[in-house]
Amino acid sequence: MKIAFISYEYPPDTAFGGIGTYVYQVAQMLHQCGHHVEVFTGSNLRSISELYGDVSVHRVQTTRQDFAHAIAPIFAERHRHIDFDVLEAPEIGAEAQEAIRLVPDMPLVVKLHTPSFLIRQINHVKPTLSRQARWLLGALRRGQIPKPYPTYSYQPETDLERFYTLQADEITTPSQALGDRLLHAWNLPSDRLYHLPNPYVPAPELLQIPVDTQTQTVTFVGRLEKRKGVLDLAQAIPQILKRHPHTQFRFVGASWDSPQPGLDMQRYIERMLRPYLSALEFTGAVPLDQIHQALAQTDICVLPSIWENFPNVCLEAMAAGRGVIGSMAGGMAEMLDGVNTGRLVPPRHPQGIVETVSELLEHPDRRIELGQKARDRVLSQYSLERLAPLQEASYQRAIARRKAIGSRHKIDRSVQVERLSQLLDA
């Protein structure tokens, strides 16, 4: 097959998170299987077509907001030469919306990662009474009639990401949890939604880390933001230190906004835990090819996200043989096979973090056993050998469906009618 990917995130220029890692790994997997693969991506630095990791990559210098429009003509022109069989793109940002408008007969697979509305819902901070009072007084000072404090509301019928996803010939979700959630929130067609885990090839450096480390270090890896549960870990730290005073805590990741305007999350946590600063370390963002160094210096990884679809950091920690404490909310419960290869805590539950971290600190033999099982699970369940045939079958289904119904401009009237009726009802 001739397979194209559209994704703003892709290494090295825009390797911001899990989407870029996924696209890179699946592109390499499909290339190794003998398929012709090309990636259309964004860059902050350059516009260039190059061979990167044995795959042709077309980069356009643009912002994330303008990417869908900037990449579409580049994809359409390349398609005229290559005649791609299928296109895959993420739902977030509706990044292939313009591409399928220019090439309406292109079979499209939309891979779910985490839609923007879900991220906004989770990161939304309910305003305090004092903030609402400042909002009211500010309006009065300006001589304006005060309006209600803005709150977050979601209207799926006006969500471009949803409308774009409904145009896909196949929708794949790495975690069953996200698929189930969007079946209801987006009313997705169940006959086009398939559970397809992301393939994952661990870096050799991760697999070389001894499972039986004794560092007394607990590590959080990920962006320092509310959605990742970093504040719940911070609230648990004083109680953990009371039980285990020699424990060190490392935060690996870029610092995002905190609940206090003008203060980033690192500084917010440092103020929150001022008496315990000697037990804390903040490394900032770490390049993917150096993450093994951070994991080699830890015994336990705590990933207590409020919601998570299919976090690569969990797979990295599992491959490193760490004691992994993940969140029950989302895909980590599937990745860890319940509690067979790690531990799970409810979201927004600092006391659960206290108890599970204490368990693994007090029983290193149990933590080591879980770490070995976690490494074995990564190698067996997320290997190229297991997932490549499933990925190929997904593309074949999308190709067959598009062939059966024809061009979107001519045939997909049902989606257009549904969209129009929803907008009129709104």
Side-chain angles (χ1 to χ4, degrees):
M1 281 184 284
K2 290 174 283 187
I3 304 164
F5 289 88
I6 287 180
S7 170
Y8 181 74
E9 294 187 23
Y10 198 77
D13 296 27
T14 49
F16 301 135
I19 297 177
T21 302
Y22 159 72
V23 177
Y24 176 79
Q25 293 221 348
V26 77
Q28 295 297 315
M29 175 187 77
L30 293 166
H31 170 76
Q32 293 173 24
C33 292
H35 301 289
H36 179 91
V37 182
E38 299 194 16
V39 177
F40 298 81
T41 186
S43 174
N44 297 323
L45 308 169
R46 53 190 177 146
S47 293
I48 189 175
S49 292
E50 62 178 353
L51 199 64
Y52 183 79
D54 298 324
V55 169
S56 293
V57 179
H58 309 279
R59 306 181 193 273
V60 60
Q61 186 173 2
T62 186
T63 63
R64 184 188 287 273
Q65 291 74 18
D66 296 330
F67 174 66
H69 286 85
I71 203 65
I74 297 172
F75 168 76
E77 177 62 27
R78 185 65 177 161
H79 176 61
R80 279 192 281 271
H81 292 281
I82 299 297
D83 190 22
F84 291 109
D85 295 308
V86 66
L87 166 65
E88 180 182 316
E91 90 288 11
I92 191 165
E95 293 180 347
Q97 177 69 31
E98 286 299 305
I100 60 172
R101 185 182 65 82
L102 295 179
V103 188
D105 58 347
M106 174 59 62
L108 173 66
V109 174
V110 167
K111 184 79 171 188
L112 300 175
H113 292 276
T114 300
S116 299
F117 88 89
L118 193 52
I119 296 174
R120 287 194 294 268
Q121 279 183 352
I122 295 168
N123 281 336
H124 177 68
V125 178
K126 186 177 180 180
T128 62
L129 291 175
S130 63
R131 186 177 298 181
Q132 294 182 59
R134 289 196 299 272
W135 171 273
L136 173 65
L137 292 173
L140 293 173
R141 283 195 217 96
R142 294 189 294 270
Q144 300 172 347
I145 299 174
K147 298 179 180 179
Y149 191 93
T151 58
Y152 176 75
S153 63
Y154 175 62
Q155 302 296 329
E157 61 273 7
T158 61
D159 188 338
L160 176 61
E161 291 178 0
R162 173 181 178 268
F163 176 57
Y164 151 78
T165 300
L166 289 172
Q167 298 178 71
D169 299 289
E170 173 125 329
I171 305 165
T172 60
T173 176
S175 69
Q176 191 66 56
L178 180 61
D180 291 343
R181 189 159 185 169
L182 293 185
L183 271 174
H184 300 286
W186 275 4
N187 194 27
L188 294 181
S190 58
D191 61 333
R192 278 188 277 149
L193 178 63
Y194 289 85
H195 178 208
L196 180 59
N198 295 345
Y200 176 70
V201 180
E205 293 84 358
L206 291 173
L207 300 177
Q208 293 166 6
I209 296 173
V211 177
D212 57 348
T213 53
Q214 300 287 345
T215 67
Q216 291 295 297
T217 298
V218 176
T219 298
F220 171 93
V221 184
R223 291 188 297 269
L224 274 58
E225 61 169 322
K226 179 185 174 184
R227 179 169 67 98
K228 301 292 185 180
V230 67
L231 290 176
D232 299 312
L233 172 59
Q235 291 177 42
I237 285 175
Q239 290 191 59
I240 296 172
L241 287 173
K242 187 176 181 180
R243 298 186 189 185
H244 305 279
H246 300 297
T247 306
Q248 293 292 307
F249 295 87
R250 179 179 289 116
F251 295 84
V252 179
S255 188
W256 283 32
D257 294 338
S258 78
Q260 183 174 333
L263 198 66
D264 69 31
M265 191 65 84
Q266 177 180 336
R267 289 188 294 161
Y268 184 87
I269 292 173
E270 287 173 337
R271 290 188 181 184
M272 177 180 172
L273 298 176
R274 193 180 302 275
Y276 310 98
L277 288 179
S278 62
L280 308 182
E281 177 188 358
F282 294 85
T283 70
V286 171
L288 182 61
D289 60 0
Q290 297 177 24
I291 196 68
H292 67 278
Q293 298 174 5
L295 293 175
Q297 298 168 21
T298 192
D299 290 339
I300 301 168
C301 281
V302 182
L303 311 171
S305 299
I306 298 173
W307 168 264
E308 203 75 67
N309 173 22
F310 194 90
N312 276 325
V313 65
C314 185
L315 293 176
E316 291 162 353
M318 292 169 69
R322 304 301 83 191
V324 181
I325 299 172
S327 170
M328 291 180 181
M332 273 190 273
E334 301 167 34
M335 300 165 86
L336 290 167
D337 192 24
V339 295
N340 291 324
T341 62
R343 289 290 181 263
L344 296 169
V345 294
R348 300 185 176 94
H349 198 279
Q351 190 60 40
I353 297 173
V354 172
E355 299 302 329
T356 50
V357 168
S358 296
E359 176 202 353
L360 297 187
L361 287 172
E362 293 164 8
H363 301 281
D365 55 337
R366 194 175 301 170
R367 184 254 305 168
I368 291 168
E369 179 184 1
L370 290 171
Q372 186 60 59
K373 288 181 178 179
R375 178 176 284 173
D376 293 342
R377 179 168 171 78
V378 165
L379 294 174
S380 65
Q381 295 300 307
Y382 302 105
S383 67
L384 304 186
E385 293 77 14
R386 178 174 180 268
L387 295 178
L390 303 180
Q391 193 93 17
E392 292 166 337
S394 172
Y395 296 145
Q396 294 289 2
R397 286 191 298 267
I399 293 168
R401 181 178 186 274
R402 183 50 49 187
K403 183 178 179 179
I405 65 177
S407 171
R408 288 175 178 81
H409 285 177
K410 298 176 182 178
I411 303 298
D412 276 5
R413 296 191 184 117
S414 61
V415 173
Q416 295 168 6
V417 169
E418 180 195 6
R419 171 66 167 164
L420 179 60
S421 65
Q422 290 169 340
L423 291 175
L424 290 174
D425 290 340

